[in-house]
Amino acid sequence: MPPGDNVMQDRRRNERVPLPMEVDWEGDSGKHRSRISDISISGCYVESLAQVTVGERVRFQIQLPNGEWLPLIGAVVYVHPQVGFGVNFSTLTERVKDLLAELMDYARPHSR
């Protein structure tokens, strides 16, 4: 199976919700402020010109609607050079999964 196929299967398994919002993230290239375009329980898409590589670990902070910051860690699973990259979150606690689900619920009415 080509490497990108498992990413596409993952995207089909987990609902993605459009959620344009700023995100602070840090990877091998340093700290960045970018924008995510969508999110799911398992990952998100980051719109960024910063160079990343598949497999690179990145740390995120997403600000929730209540003002709380949600820290996340993930790995880059695919890259669109000069456009952005997809991230698969890792080591999510049940609390973080619940907060992501709440964020997705919040985003649904706003995406219509």
Side-chain angles (χ1 to χ4, degrees):
M1 176 183 321
D5 283 359
N6 60 352
V7 172
M8 293 310 291
Q9 286 177 353
D10 180 58
R11 291 185 74 173
R12 284 185 220 113
R13 253 196 326 258
N14 295 295
E15 175 193 13
R16 288 195 172 264
V17 175
L19 181 66
M21 71 182 320
E22 287 189 351
V23 61
D24 291 327
W25 66 276
E26 183 176 359
D28 293 344
S29 62
K31 293 182 179 181
H32 305 274
R33 175 159 281 206
S34 298
R35 186 176 179 101
I36 60 172
S37 58
D38 64 44
I39 196 162
S40 75
I41 291 294
S42 63
C44 66
Y45 188 82
V46 180
E47 298 172 349
S48 177
L49 298 176
Q51 292 185 338
V52 295
T53 57
V54 171
E56 180 178 337
R57 287 178 51 92
V58 291
R59 295 180 177 275
F60 289 85
Q61 286 192 55
I62 296 175
Q63 191 170 22
L64 300 173
N66 66 6
E68 180 182 353
W69 286 92
L70 178 61
L72 298 163
I73 298 172
V76 175
V77 290
Y78 60 91
V79 177
H80 297 128
Q82 302 297 309
V83 177
F85 56 94
V87 173
N88 189 16
F89 300 139
S90 57
T91 61
L92 296 179
T93 64
E94 287 304 314
R95 178 171 170 10
V96 170
K97 287 179 186 176
D98 290 344
L99 288 171
L100 284 169
E102 287 177 24
L103 182 61
M104 290 172 62
D105 286 344
Y106 171 82
R108 278 187 195 97
H110 295 87
S111 65
R112 292 184 186 139

